[in-house]
């Protein structure tokens, strides 16, 4: 597998590329927007993908928001979306438990995205919000709630020592399920401040509990299994777009999708050059089929595109 600079393809070849898929999965941050600013022409490209007959899914490791809140964000930034088009890890964690017929309570180390999605499927929970060290409440006085049958770890800006203690204590019981939303180590911010991501929190609790979490986000394939249960997806005619190779592109590779890296986010061209020449399959799995500077660069081709009838 070798990376191809899509910009160097002749227009006729881009037509062939655009005809080669009818399902598009895209990451959000770094591809469609940066925080709350849409990237130039990304909304137009995504909406155009839909206009020419693709089914479009937004696939994000974000666990802070619910699907409903992400639809609102999409709309504010001019991306067409419904709740059915959104696969975020707060929702996936709830799907995972619902699909198992889980009927106990969840201890959440995470945000309201997770608690609200659990409520949508009627699962009880507790744990969201600050849980600080209190001098007059010794740790050893913690009493496990016998109803708790799962621990979910997502993004939690209130992450604390008492939360680690509680999560690990529940997980000492091996029948308690352990779900992590994702393993992104840090946020891709252009600054000299390192903002810890959920992966750092998951690893911390895994270390203390001496157990590994089931991960529902990218690059683990649960996310695509959940999608396939609900929609008809042909891997050979599916395109995965992302800005991060160790999540987005790796997921695409694992699922047999075509992969397109945009260079507007985390992974740089230098990274790909290194992996492309590696002997290790692990590195080769990170190499996308195509790359492009930014998603918006596809717009001129999509404007003139007509799907061939044989596709
Ligand atoms: Mg991203």
């Amino acid at each position: 597998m070798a990376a191809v600079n899509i910009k160097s393809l002749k227009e006729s070849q881009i037509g062939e590329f655009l005809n080669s898929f009818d399902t598009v999965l895209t990451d959000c941050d770094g591809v469609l927007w940066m925080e709350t600013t849409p990237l130039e022409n990304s909304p137009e490209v995504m909406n155009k993908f839909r206009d020419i007959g693709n089914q479009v899914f937004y696939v994000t490791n974000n666990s802070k928001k619910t699907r409903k809140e992400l639809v609102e964000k999409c709309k504010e930034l001019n991306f067409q979306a419904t709740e059915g088009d959104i696969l975020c890890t707060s929702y996936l964690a709830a799907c995972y438990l619902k699909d198992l017929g889980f009927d106990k309570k969840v201890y959440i180390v995470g945000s309201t995205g997770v608690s609200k999605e659990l409520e949508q499927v009627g699962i009880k929970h507790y744990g969201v919000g600050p849980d600080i060290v209190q001098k007059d409440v010794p740790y050893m006085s913690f009493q496990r709630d016998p109803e708790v049958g799962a621990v979910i770890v997502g993004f939690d800006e209130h992450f604390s020592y008492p939360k680690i203690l509680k999560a690990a204590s529940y997980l000492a019981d091996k029948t308690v399920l352990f779900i992590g939303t994702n393993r992104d180590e840090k946020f891709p911010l252009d600054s000299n401040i390192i903002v810890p991501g959920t992966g750092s929190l998951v690893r911390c609790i895994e270390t203390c509990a001496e157990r590994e979490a089931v991960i529902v986000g990218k690059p683990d394939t649960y996310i695509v299994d959940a999608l396939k249960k609900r929609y008809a997806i042909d891997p050979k005619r599916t395109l995965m777009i992302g800005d991060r190779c160790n999540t987005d592109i790796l997921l695409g590779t694992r699922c047999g999708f075509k992969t397109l890296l945009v260079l507007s986010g985390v992974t740089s061209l230098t990274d790909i050059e290194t992996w492309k020449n590696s002997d290790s399959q692990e590195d080769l799995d990170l190499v996308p089929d195509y790359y492009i500077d930014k998603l918006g660069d596809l717009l001129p081709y999509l404007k003139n595109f007509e799907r061939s009838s044989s596709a």
Side-chain angles (χ1 to χ4, degrees):
M1 184 189 289
V4 175
N5 187 344
I6 198 171
K7 286 187 303 180
S8 71
L9 293 177
K10 289 182 189 133
E11 204 164 319
S12 60
Q13 291 171 301
I14 290 197
E16 198 180 306
F17 165 73
L18 295 173
N19 258 315
S20 70
F21 52 85
D22 40 40
T23 299
V24 177
L25 270 59
T26 182
D27 172 53
C28 298
D29 241 310
V31 179
L32 308 181
W33 57 63
M34 283 295 185
E35 298 273 308
T36 52
T37 310
L39 294 176
E40 194 187 0
N41 289 334
S42 278
E44 289 79 3
V45 166
M46 290 314 299
N47 297 339
K48 197 77 192 159
F49 273 148
R50 205 182 281 267
D51 291 347
I52 63 170
N54 288 291
Q55 49 178 355
V56 169
F57 298 99
Y58 302 92
V59 181
T60 168
N61 275 352
N62 184 331
S63 68
K64 280 161 77 176
K65 290 183 190 288
T66 59
R67 282 179 305 160
K68 194 164 179 251
E69 289 161 345
L70 281 162
V71 167
E72 281 160 22
K73 177 168 183 173
C74 281
K75 287 190 174 158
E76 265 168 41
L77 303 183
N78 294 321
F79 295 91
Q80 294 170 26
T82 64
E83 278 189 46
D85 308 333
I86 310 270
L87 287 160
C88 52
T89 53
S90 51
Y91 166 66
L92 289 163
C95 285
Y96 181 86
L97 291 176
K98 190 181 168 228
D99 288 351
L100 288 177
F102 180 85
D103 60 357
K104 297 187 84 180
K105 192 192 273 187
V106 177
Y107 175 61
I108 303 174
V109 177
S111 318
T112 53
V114 175
S115 58
K116 287 181 187 169
E117 289 289 358
L118 287 177
E119 281 157 25
Q120 286 285 317
V121 293
I123 294 177
K124 290 174 282 182
H125 59 83
Y126 89 101
V128 172
D131 186 355
I132 58 169
V133 176
Q134 295 176 55
K135 284 206 167 56
D136 50 341
V137 183
Y139 306 131
M140 299 313 284
S141 69
F142 167 62
Q143 297 280 329
R144 283 193 269 179
D145 178 341
E147 260 204 273
V148 168
V151 173
I152 295 179
V153 184
F155 180 75
D156 188 347
E157 58 191 1
H158 297 294
F159 193 70
S160 65
Y161 194 82
K163 290 191 180 197
I164 303 169
L165 178 146
K166 290 175 187 174
S169 301
Y170 282 123
L171 293 167
D173 175 348
K174 301 297 182 226
T175 65
V176 170
L177 302 168
F178 184 15
I179 299 148
T181 58
N182 63 295
R183 290 196 186 277
D184 297 37
E185 306 85 1
K186 56 189 179 181
F187 284 89
L189 295 180
D190 235 357
S191 116
N192 54 6
I193 295 175
I194 303 294
V195 181
T198 306
S200 300
L201 315 187
V202 171
R203 196 167 295 175
C204 173
I205 291 177
E206 284 181 329
T207 304
C208 186
E210 298 181 277
R211 281 178 63 181
E212 246 188 51
V214 170
I215 302 294
V216 293
K218 299 170 288 186
D220 286 65
T221 54
Y222 173 77
I223 197 163
V224 172
D225 298 341
L227 189 66
K228 281 182 181 165
K229 263 192 186 175
R230 292 156 178 85
Y231 299 91
I233 305 282
D234 177 358
K236 288 196 281 308
R237 293 196 50 83
T238 299
L239 176 70
M240 175 77 214
I241 309 170
D243 70 304
R244 189 172 183 136
C245 286
N246 68 356
T247 53
D248 308 320
I249 302 304
L250 184 56
L251 173 72
T253 306
R254 285 176 172 172
C255 295
F257 300 158
K258 295 170 203 309
T259 52
L260 170 66
L261 177 75
V262 292
L263 296 170
S264 49
V266 175
T267 301
S268 71
L269 205 49
T270 326
D271 297 329
I272 305 175
E273 290 299 333
T274 311
W275 298 326
K276 213 167 80 171
N277 298 316
S278 164
D279 292 331
S280 140
Q281 189 59 45
E282 257 177 58
D283 288 343
L284 291 171
D285 285 349
L286 300 173
V287 179
D289 295 325
Y290 309 99
Y291 64 82
I292 193 169
D293 283 342
K294 54 186 193 308
L295 188 63
D297 290 350
L298 283 177
L299 188 60
Y301 302 102
L302 277 161
K303 273 186 173 163
N304 302 319
F305 176 74
E306 277 179 43
R307 195 179 277 285
S308 82
S309 53
S310 60

